[in-house]
Amino acid sequence: MNFVLRRLIQVPLVALLVASLCFFLMHILPGSPFDRERAGPAAAKAAVEARYHLDKPLPVQYLYWLSDVVRGDLGPSLKYRNHSVNDILAQTLPVSFTLGWLAFGVALGVGVPLGAWAALRPGSWGDWCAAFLVLLGVCVPSFIVGPLLILIFSLKLGWFPAALWGGVSNAVLPVTALGLFFAARVARLAREGITETLRSEFIMAVRAKGAGEFRVLTRHAFRTGLLPVVSYCGPMLADLLTGSFVIETVFQIPGTGTFFINAFNNKDYTMIVGITLLYAVLLLSLNLIVDLAYAWLDPRVRHD
Amino acid sequence: MQPTPTPNQRAWRRFRGQHRAVWATVFLGLVVLGSLLGPSLTGFDPNAGGELQYAAPTAAHWCGTDVHGRDLLTRLLVGTRISLLVGAVGAAVALVIGVIWGMTAAYVGGRVDNLMMRFVDVLYSLPNILFVMLGLITLEAFSTRYLNAHAPELVATLHLTALFVLIGAVSWLNMARIVRGQVLSLRTRPFVLASQALGAGHIRVLARQILPNILGVVIVYLSLTIPAVILYESFLSFLGRGIRPPQASLGTLIADGAAQLNPLRIRWWLVGFPAGLLASLLLALTFIGDGLRVALDPKADR
Amino acid sequence: MPRSWWARIRKNPGRPGSGWSVFALGLLLLATGLSGCHSEPRADFAIFNGNEPETIDPQTLTGQPDGRIAASLFEGLTRFNPTNARAQPGLAHSWTLSPDGRTYTFHLRTNLTWSTGEPIRAEDFVWSWQRAIDPKTGADYAGQLFYVKNGEAINTNGVTDVKQLGIRALDPFTVQVEVTQPTPFFLELIASRIFTVVPRWHVEKYGENWIRHGPVPCSGAFQLVDWRVNDRVRVRKNPRYWDAANVDLETVDFRSGDNANAALNIYLTGGVDCIIDKTAMPVDLLDELLKRPDVQKFPYLATYFLRFNTTKAPYSDPRVRQAICLVVDKARITARTTRAGEIPTDTLTPPGTGGYQPPAGLTRNVARARELLAAAGYPEGKGFPVIEYTYNVGTKLHEQVAIELKETLAAELGLRLELHPMEWGPYLREMNALNFDMIRGSWVGDYEYPNTFLDLFTSNNGNNRTGWKNPEYDRLLGEAAATVDTAARFELLRRAETLLIHDEVPILCLHHYVGVFAFDRTKWTGIFPNLIDEHPVNAIHRLTGAKPVAGGEARR
């Protein structure tokens, strides 16, 4: 219990640390988010910068930011001036999350059975199938897979919409394109893990005790063999968020990834720092859950 | 009577036994050779334009030409050179940081180990694109501020180097974990303890006793990092943060070619050749990595 | 409950069948994720509008996509005629101009109300214009109000009282405006966003983000329904708009997005009815697209040019600048890169801007270029430093232009051009700091008159960014501004432009833009080509006999 508590306290602290680092780095860099192609009156720029406290010394700006963050306010977006960062995140995060969860589901739902099958029947067509998927997923970038899927299944066959978000049919292609890459990795990990476990002494011992093959597999081989998959779930979540940017661009999906990446180009400080903070909190919490799941599955791990 | 083969000889035999890995090595060798010879092989300058805009593959231009009439094959070869360089340098940076970090953590142990590995865990759970973007944007600010005024010709080189190092700097986490695991088990082995008892310094023990024993694992992992780094660079290219034009990597060529996947007019060679080459390159590297793993697996001799 | 859950894990870590739980979890996530998707009926007319708007507050916005939305919500004294973008009566039904050309008197319609029912009066215009010029508002386009008396002084803090601005309400239905000098394009100028009327009480109540607090009182043909970031802004017909009888569309979606290929896919699969922004079409495919009956191009008041840093040797020598200008094959570069039939040019002002014909510029002459370069001390380019060419990334086009330029200069003059791609922010900073040799630039005209281009290069204009200061140029423009007779005025402007693009060439003009839009002309009408790319949404009509769009919701 102590372990969980310690980790729980760590989550906001680490997140704040990362976000603060981000905050200072972004502010030290030269330039203003209000640089425009058309040189507006200097007074206009000064007025806007003053409104966002950008004319104050950096430590003061930091305190302003910190006091807002403590109250749950990530500040106004400096690029999208009619929206606060909270507002943008409230609208876009559910979209990115749905996309991410679905892809996560595809990665596990497709990757695990495929990997298990390949491990149990090495050399069968299932194994080849899995190998092919792995190669496709790992060797072809998703910004090629995405447009290819659109071209075939939307523009040529007309089965699914080509872009945008909303209905279930909108989700099919982007989730496939995003999930495929991760399904490939999961399948690979699952295949290796289960193959390894099946060869291990402990499975031989279980078999020697006379356990049925089904029981051997479900109770022992899978449980241990899938541990690498479980420990990959944590980083996979982080990669899903990153990977979702490409998919969001290709499929014109109004998610958070686009705002995150573009905020760097726009020098939208509050947006970068805000999204970083939120991502950090979410990912660290999710990783905590993954760690607990790991402990649950692996009898050797004890958190005291 | 045959002499007992050394571990290296045994590993080499096992590697040779895997046809997939051997063919992959041959293919990789050819690609490396082609990328090194590059322009002299095709007879075109990778950055020189021509009248033939968007020419489909012909006898003169085997892979067709691009918007400026540049020979795509030449650009592919030169781009492969850059991609391989990114892979090699990125993986090398990851190797150095990862090995030092993992070895130190495991060797010192205790609270230091705990803290160092917790740091790795935290970094592992954050999207690494954050650090890459922050690094690149900081560097861009630096380069525009100082280099443009004093040495503008260095800007491109600086960007390239920064890209290599940054990609490596976010790819070392797995390496550190694996090395730590290995060192932990080696630390209490008799030969290490003996060396320490004989008065060898920590650095000496690490360098002479431990490093050689984790080399196999490190090589295997390195071979898996290279394709990951190459893919990562292509992803950055898609974000417009990859190699700077007019230089090209496989990543930028593919990112440019992705626009060809449209319903109106597909200039297939602009996307097909770069994507095909990248996929086969990554495939070859993966096969070689798998081959090395089997070859260097200490359990394989049992 | 959590306690027993944890205790169970602790005591019995190996629950039977837990290996399947990973798989089960995957399926569960799939199911919950899918239940989170829901679709909505689409609007009568959906427009692909380009980048996500930064703000749709008419007085602080800068972007073209932002402006299109704002223009549908707010109207000024005049509005644009959709066919030729000339001014036509808007909220003012008529106006008079004093004989000296300096005082306008506008007569408002008497039945004007906001979409929320309150009346619109002359005072509202006075307040809206004062808001636009007030430096505290931070309007980037406040410069457009410098034609109004005291505008510049107020905005640059010379005069602190915004009430000194040359606009007065003579009575609730009469607005009087004083301009600093006769301004032939004034009626078109005030049809643009920053001069529209906004609801004073609403803005004062909610402050900067008033546009996000509904219901927003609107003065235009539409009212704001909702705004989903990076997805769409939806507007609905404003039944209280004075010309509501002639507004055909009940609801309109402005879709945003920055991926041109996705935009095209959406359009081709019927997700939007119209692509109105050229940036939302893949440059690479423009030539192919223009063969389609639903895609149309038109000349557009904008110029693509390159700036020289005239404060830095050797570019401080006009002969060097002329040599580089003379050698560039503009037709070739344009044909190979932009692909929409842009018009190669030697002049800054597009031909026919407000009836003005620009003078002759430097036409391509490689032999003369070599002579000039040799005369400047660099025969065959020997000893010439590497040219640092800066451009912004984000669109492939600028990179392609740069590469073509590099080749031309190397082949014809033996000069080496180094490419410096930069993100938008650094690019603007370097340009303003004159930290470049040559840099990409472009300018979009605000109104159909040559001054919208030529004013840029006066010595003290903030958009000059070349370091070029020429007293004669300033004098000619000043003299032209004070001249009432059009022919004499244009002659003075032509002399100034000759200095700019023939004698001194601080800029290298490449081409004039064309605008492109796409919509099915058998179903819709009301979008017309015009020089300033203005396409009022209130003019869009469904052609009679055309069926409603598939999946469209019934008219409400």
Side-chain angles (χ1 to χ4, degrees):
Chain A
M1 209 66 229
N2 197 5
F3 161 78
V4 181
L5 208 71
R6 239 188 9 240
R7 287 284 300 270
L8 269 178
I9 298 167
Q10 261 181 29
V11 167
L13 288 182
V14 172
L16 197 68
L17 194 76
V18 174
S20 302
L21 179 87
C22 212
F23 179 92
F24 282 107
L25 204 52
M26 288 313 295
H27 278 79
I28 289 168
L29 298 180
S32 154
F34 305 109
D35 287 333
R36 295 262 182 270
E37 181 176 21
R38 299 188 164 200
K45 197 172 155 190
V48 178
E49 289 188 345
R51 192 180 302 152
Y52 297 107
H53 307 306
L54 294 180
D55 52 342
K56 307 258 183 350
L58 194 51
V60 179
Q61 288 186 41
Y62 182 70
L63 287 180
Y64 270 114
W65 174 78
L66 204 62
S67 70
D68 282 348
V69 164
V70 171
R71 277 176 283 147
D73 179 6
L74 297 173
S77 164
L78 304 183
K79 165 86 171 171
Y80 302 102
R81 290 198 268 158
N82 289 156
H83 297 273
S84 66
V85 177
N86 286 33
D87 184 13
I88 288 176
L89 284 174
Q91 288 191 45
T92 58
L93 210 58
V95 175
S96 281
F97 250 58
T98 310
L99 178 63
W101 277 136
L102 288 170
F104 192 73
V106 165
L108 293 183
V110 173
V112 170
L114 211 58
W117 191 4
L120 297 179
R121 304 263 183 283
S124 73
W125 68 269
D127 187 15
W128 282 107
C129 222
F132 181 72
L133 177 83
V134 169
L135 298 179
L136 195 73
V138 176
C139 297
V140 185
S142 54
F143 52 88
I144 293 291
V145 175
L148 262 181
L149 289 176
I150 296 175
L151 205 57
I152 297 168
F153 294 103
S154 174
L155 296 162
K156 292 274 184 279
L157 297 174
W159 292 356
F160 304 106
L164 303 179
W165 193 246
V168 174
S169 57
N170 288 91
V172 176
L173 294 183
V175 167
T176 310
L178 183 58
L180 188 70
F181 178 77
F182 295 99
R185 303 213 149 177
V186 168
R188 192 187 161 110
L189 286 173
R191 184 186 188 277
E192 281 169 10
I194 294 172
T195 309
E196 188 91 340
T197 315
L198 285 176
R199 271 199 266 146
S200 71
E201 284 141 6
F202 118 84
I203 289 291
M204 289 179 201
V206 173
R207 281 205 175 119
K209 269 169 64 186
E213 190 60 25
F214 183 76
R215 197 181 157 84
V216 169
L217 289 180
T218 54
R219 284 219 177 167
H220 304 283
F222 286 170
R223 215 187 67 209
T224 321
L226 290 180
L227 282 176
V229 173
V230 177
S231 61
Y232 175 60
C233 282
M236 176 157 81
L237 288 167
D239 287 350
L240 270 171
L241 284 176
T242 320
S244 77
F245 166 73
V246 172
I247 298 301
E248 282 169 19
T249 307
V250 168
F251 289 90
Q252 202 72 76
I253 292 170
T256 314
T258 319
F259 284 94
F260 184 52
I261 300 293
N262 288 341
F264 286 100
N265 298 342
N266 300 332
K267 285 216 85 187
D268 193 344
Y269 312 124
T270 43
M271 184 85 85
I272 299 175
V273 179
I275 297 180
T276 302
L277 185 71
L278 201 72
Y279 272 12
V281 170
L282 283 172
L283 289 170
L284 291 169
S285 314
L286 286 168
N287 268 276
L288 181 58
I289 295 172
V290 169
D291 284 356
L292 291 178
Y294 198 94
W296 182 36
L297 288 172
D298 188 352
R300 287 167 301 184
V301 178
R302 283 282 188 280
H303 295 304
D304 291 310
Chain B
M1 193 177 151
Q2 276 226 289
T4 320
T6 64
N8 282 347
Q9 284 170 327
R10 283 204 301 267
W12 173 235
R13 272 185 207 165
R14 276 198 301 271
F15 186 81
R16 261 189 337 199
Q18 299 177 75
H19 299 288
R20 248 181 16 177
V22 173
W23 284 115
T25 315
V26 172
F27 175 77
L28 183 70
L30 287 176
V31 171
V32 170
L33 198 69
S35 75
L36 288 179
L37 294 176
S40 51
L41 208 62
T42 56
F44 291 101
D45 176 345
N47 293 324
E51 291 307 312
L52 271 174
Q53 201 182 11
Y54 292 130
T58 58
H61 299 282
W62 288 6
C63 294
T65 62
D66 69 358
V67 56
H68 301 292
R70 298 176 294 196
D71 181 55
L72 187 61
L73 179 61
T74 316
R75 286 182 70 71
L76 277 174
L77 291 176
V78 175
T80 309
R81 189 193 299 171
I82 298 262
S83 281
L84 287 170
L85 203 63
V86 171
V89 176
V93 172
L95 174 84
V96 170
I97 305 179
V99 168
I100 292 178
W101 193 276
M103 276 205 323
T104 315
Y107 192 76
V108 178
R111 287 186 77 104
V112 176
D113 178 27
N114 228 327
L115 209 69
M116 285 176 85
M117 290 329 278
R118 186 73 203 115
F119 180 73
V120 169
D121 288 346
V122 167
L123 285 192
Y124 209 40
S125 59
L126 294 173
N128 50 22
I129 186 73
L130 171 70
F131 302 106
V132 174
M133 288 297 266
L134 280 177
L136 283 176
I137 205 169
T138 314
L139 222 101
E140 189 173 58
F142 166 77
S143 69
T144 47
R145 226 185 202 183
Y146 301 104
L147 282 187
N148 266 10
H150 300 112
E153 64 280 0
L154 287 182
V155 172
T157 322
L158 181 80
H159 181 82
L160 200 67
T161 320
L163 199 66
F164 287 6
V165 173
L166 277 170
I167 294 179
V170 296
S171 312
W172 59 273
L173 300 172
N174 256 330
M175 182 72 88
R177 283 182 165 180
I178 287 161
V179 168
R180 173 179 172 270
Q182 292 286 313
V183 175
L184 270 185
S185 70
L186 285 171
R187 204 173 52 154
T188 50
R189 293 281 186 83
F191 64 91
V192 175
L193 295 176
S195 177
Q196 280 171 333
L198 288 171
H202 293 310
I203 303 286
R204 195 183 160 81
V205 171
L206 281 174
R208 286 291 176 83
Q209 309 294 340
I210 291 184
L211 199 57
N213 278 293
I214 59 171
L215 216 55
V217 178
V218 168
I219 290 174
V220 168
Y221 194 70
L222 191 64
S223 67
L224 295 176
T225 308
I226 294 174
V229 166
I230 292 177
L231 200 65
Y232 198 82
E233 190 275 328
S234 79
F235 167 69
L236 282 178
S237 295
F238 180 79
L239 300 188
R241 292 281 182 178
I243 304 294
R244 284 291 168 83
Q247 272 183 320
S249 69
L250 282 181
T252 55
L253 289 171
I254 296 175
D256 287 357
Q260 296 300 330
L261 296 170
N262 67 71
L264 293 181
R265 175 178 63 201
I266 300 181
R267 294 187 171 118
W268 58 271
W269 59 96
L270 288 176
V271 56
F273 287 122
L277 185 56
L278 180 82
S280 43
L281 193 65
L282 294 181
L283 203 61
L285 285 166
T286 313
F287 283 164
I288 294 171
D290 285 347
L292 279 175
R293 179 160 44 184
V294 174
L296 297 172
D297 186 359
K299 285 186 225 155
D301 281 330
R302 275 185 300 179
Chain C
M1 180 66 196
R3 212 163 154 251
S4 65
W5 164 80
W6 181 246
R8 215 171 55 204
I9 295 171
R10 294 283 304 274
K11 280 189 194 132
N12 184 16
R15 281 186 65 233
S18 54
W20 292 109
S21 61
V22 179
F23 176 52
L25 181 70
L27 286 183
L28 190 74
L29 290 176
L30 211 63
T32 52
L34 281 174
S35 66
C37 296
H38 53 85
S39 54
E40 55 149 23
R42 54 170 284 180
D44 284 353
F45 194 73
I47 299 171
F48 205 98
N49 190 37
N51 289 331
E52 168 72 5
E54 293 173 24
T55 168
I56 53 173
D57 179 334
Q59 268 120 26
T60 56
L61 63 81
T62 53
Q64 213 184 353
D66 314 25
R68 285 194 201 100
I69 300 172
S72 74
L73 302 176
F74 301 97
E75 192 164 299
L77 294 165
T78 59
R79 66 175 193 183
F80 289 112
N81 178 330
T83 55
N84 56 14
R86 290 288 154 81
Q88 59 175 211
L91 299 189
H93 63 77
S94 65
W95 50 84
T96 55
L97 176 60
S98 67
D100 67 350
R102 288 171 197 262
T103 308
Y104 288 85
T105 309
F106 294 92
H107 305 285
L108 298 189
R109 297 173 196 276
T110 48
N111 58 348
L112 294 176
T113 57
W114 297 96
S115 58
T116 44
E118 299 81 354
I120 301 176
R121 295 290 175 257
E123 268 304 326
D124 292 311
F125 276 94
V126 176
W127 186 81
S128 298
W129 287 28
Q130 286 171 354
R131 174 175 189 258
I133 200 69
D134 190 343
K136 284 201 279 297
T137 307
D140 284 304
Y141 277 14
Q144 295 197 344
L145 278 92
F146 288 3
Y147 296 97
V148 181
K149 194 179 141 195
N150 284 336
E152 188 161 8
I154 295 168
N155 195 248
T156 51
N157 281 327
V159 173
T160 47
D161 182 12
V162 293
K163 295 208 166 53
Q164 297 295 313
L165 188 69
I167 177 170
R168 282 191 301 150
L170 298 184
D171 63 60
F173 300 105
T174 313
V175 178
Q176 194 182 66
V177 179
E178 287 176 81
V179 290
T180 52
Q181 61 200 28
T183 311
F185 46 86
F186 190 70
L187 293 171
E188 279 77 27
L189 185 72
I190 61 169
S192 59
R193 329 312 180 210
I194 197 165
F195 294 92
T196 59
V197 60
V198 294
R200 175 177 188 171
W201 81 96
H202 194 80
V203 177
E204 285 180 339
K205 183 172 174 194
Y206 294 107
E208 198 204 356
N209 264 347
W210 60 276
I211 198 89
R212 302 265 298 130
H213 293 269
V216 179
C218 292
S219 54
F222 294 88
Q223 50 189 325
L224 187 62
V225 178
D226 70 339
W227 180 347
R228 298 207 307 221
V229 287
N230 214 14
D231 190 16
R232 58 139 183 78
V233 174
R234 175 165 293 185
V235 298
R236 165 168 295 133
K237 182 176 175 176
N238 171 7
R240 295 193 167 93
Y241 178 57
W242 65 270
D243 196 22
N246 291 316
V247 177
D248 184 44
L249 302 171
E250 189 64 33
T251 52
V252 177
D253 275 350
F254 292 89
R255 279 215 172 274
S256 33
D258 49 12
N259 180 345
N261 276 74
L264 181 64
N265 288 342
I266 294 170
Y267 174 72
L268 292 175
T269 52
V272 292
D273 302 292
C274 166
I275 301 182
I276 208 151
D277 200 292
K278 191 178 152 199
T279 62
M281 294 198 207
V283 176
D284 192 41
L285 291 173
L286 277 173
D287 54 330
E288 192 71 26
L289 276 167
L290 284 167
K291 293 178 192 158
R292 294 168 57 100
D294 54 340
V295 181
Q296 193 180 355
K297 71 166 180 179
F298 54 94
Y300 169 33
L301 214 56
T303 307
Y304 192 115
F305 59 88
L306 320 175
R307 288 180 166 94
F308 289 99
N309 182 355
T310 64
T311 63
K312 186 176 172 185
Y315 314 97
S316 47
D317 187 340
R319 286 173 300 189
V320 168
R321 304 197 296 259
Q322 283 176 341
I324 294 176
C325 286
L326 281 166
V327 85
V328 172
D329 190 342
K330 293 157 181 178
R332 178 187 150 103
I333 293 183
T334 302
R336 279 167 76 104
T337 58
T338 58
R339 318 193 72 79
E342 280 79 357
I343 307 124
T345 185
D346 302 321
T347 68
L348 178 64
T349 317
T353 305
Y356 167 86
Q357 287 305 325
L362 293 173
T363 41
R364 187 159 193 261
N365 185 341
V366 179
R368 173 105 186 94
R370 291 192 183 124
E371 279 170 33
L372 282 166
L373 198 64
Y378 306 99
E380 285 156 32
K382 285 194 182 70
F384 202 91
V386 173
I387 307 170
E388 309 293 339
Y389 178 69
T390 305
Y391 61 94
N392 59 305
V393 293
T395 152
K396 279 270 141 207
L397 179 64
H398 305 323
E399 180 188 312
Q400 293 177 356
V401 168
I403 291 172
E404 292 289 333
L405 203 66
K406 180 186 165 89
E407 278 167 27
T408 310
L409 291 181
E412 309 287 9
L413 291 181
L415 304 182
R416 222 180 102 213
L417 189 88
E418 189 82 36
L419 271 53
H420 282 280
M422 281 183 195
E423 288 297 333
W424 187 242
Y427 159 77
L428 290 180
R429 275 200 299 286
E430 297 303 288
M431 181 151 70
N432 285 325
L434 289 184
N435 202 357
F436 59 87
D437 294 349
M438 287 173 75
I439 195 164
R440 186 202 81 84
S442 56
W443 191 257
V444 179
D446 292 320
Y447 44 85
E448 206 191 319
Y449 210 73
N451 283 82
T452 190
F453 290 96
L454 297 178
D455 283 351
L456 288 187
F457 294 98
T458 53
S459 298
N460 295 320
N461 193 300
N463 289 311
N464 181 317
R465 295 155 165 165
T466 58
W468 184 69
K469 291 183 196 296
N470 190 304
E472 175 67 5
Y473 186 80
D474 297 351
R475 193 188 63 74
L476 285 167
L477 282 188
E479 197 178 318
T483 308
V484 182
D485 176 58
T486 306
R489 192 182 243 234
F490 281 179
E491 193 44 46
L492 287 165
L493 292 177
R494 258 193 292 275
R495 276 170 58 194
E497 189 165 0
T498 305
L499 263 179
L500 182 73
I501 54 148
H502 186 273
D503 303 343
E504 287 277 326
V505 286
I507 52 170
L508 189 169
C509 301
L510 210 54
H511 61 74
H512 300 303
Y513 285 58
V514 295
V516 180
F517 53 64
F519 67 95
D520 187 341
R521 273 180 275 175
T522 63
K523 283 183 185 159
W524 306 97
T525 185
I527 304 176
F528 305 98
N530 59 53
L531 272 175
I532 54 172
D533 205 9
E534 274 296 339
H535 313 289
V537 178
N538 57 295
I540 300 173
H541 281 68
R542 177 175 287 133
L543 285 173
T544 43
K547 282 187 198 141
V549 201
E553 65 188 313
R555 295 286 194 83
R556 265 174 282 188

